[in-house]
Amino acid sequence: MSLGEQVTILFAGTRGFLDKYPVDKLKTYEPQLLNFVKTKYPEIMKEIDDKKIISPELEKKMKEVLTEFDAVYVAE
């Protein structure tokens, strides 16, 4: 797993995006989130991999993307 992938998952967890889901549903969250970000917003993971820091601008973008993902996430 790349640094960008790890940080994206950890960011979702530490910023409360996972709080609304039962623990048993989270096994589907990670692959769906990573696929969503890689497909629609690959620049996020690229920036994390390249710069190894979350700038204030990137943090804002990540929150927007995770909010957008919440609207399409299917908890199986």
Side-chain angles (χ1 to χ4, degrees):
M1 192 179 273
S2 73
L3 179 63
E5 292 170 330
Q6 292 175 50
V7 169
T8 300
I9 294 298
L10 290 170
F11 187 91
T14 60
R15 296 302 196 277
F17 287 93
L18 304 179
D19 294 350
K20 62 181 124 308
Y21 303 112
V23 173
D24 64 326
K25 301 297 182 190
L26 294 180
K27 66 182 175 193
T28 61
Y29 186 92
E30 180 179 321
Q32 286 185 46
L33 173 62
L34 293 177
N35 185 54
F36 179 83
V37 176
K38 286 178 189 176
T39 303
K40 287 191 79 174
Y41 303 99
E43 70 278 5
I44 288 176
M45 290 187 190
K46 180 171 179 4
E47 183 171 337
I48 293 168
D49 287 336
D50 292 348
K51 297 183 179 179
K52 297 178 180 34
I53 189 167
I54 298 176
S55 66
E57 296 81 18
L58 182 58
E59 180 174 3
K60 180 177 185 275
K61 179 69 173 179
M62 289 177 76
K63 287 179 180 178
E64 291 168 358
V65 168
L66 286 164
T67 299
E68 181 182 340
F69 176 70
D70 276 345
V72 298
Y73 171 57
V74 178
E76 299 171 1

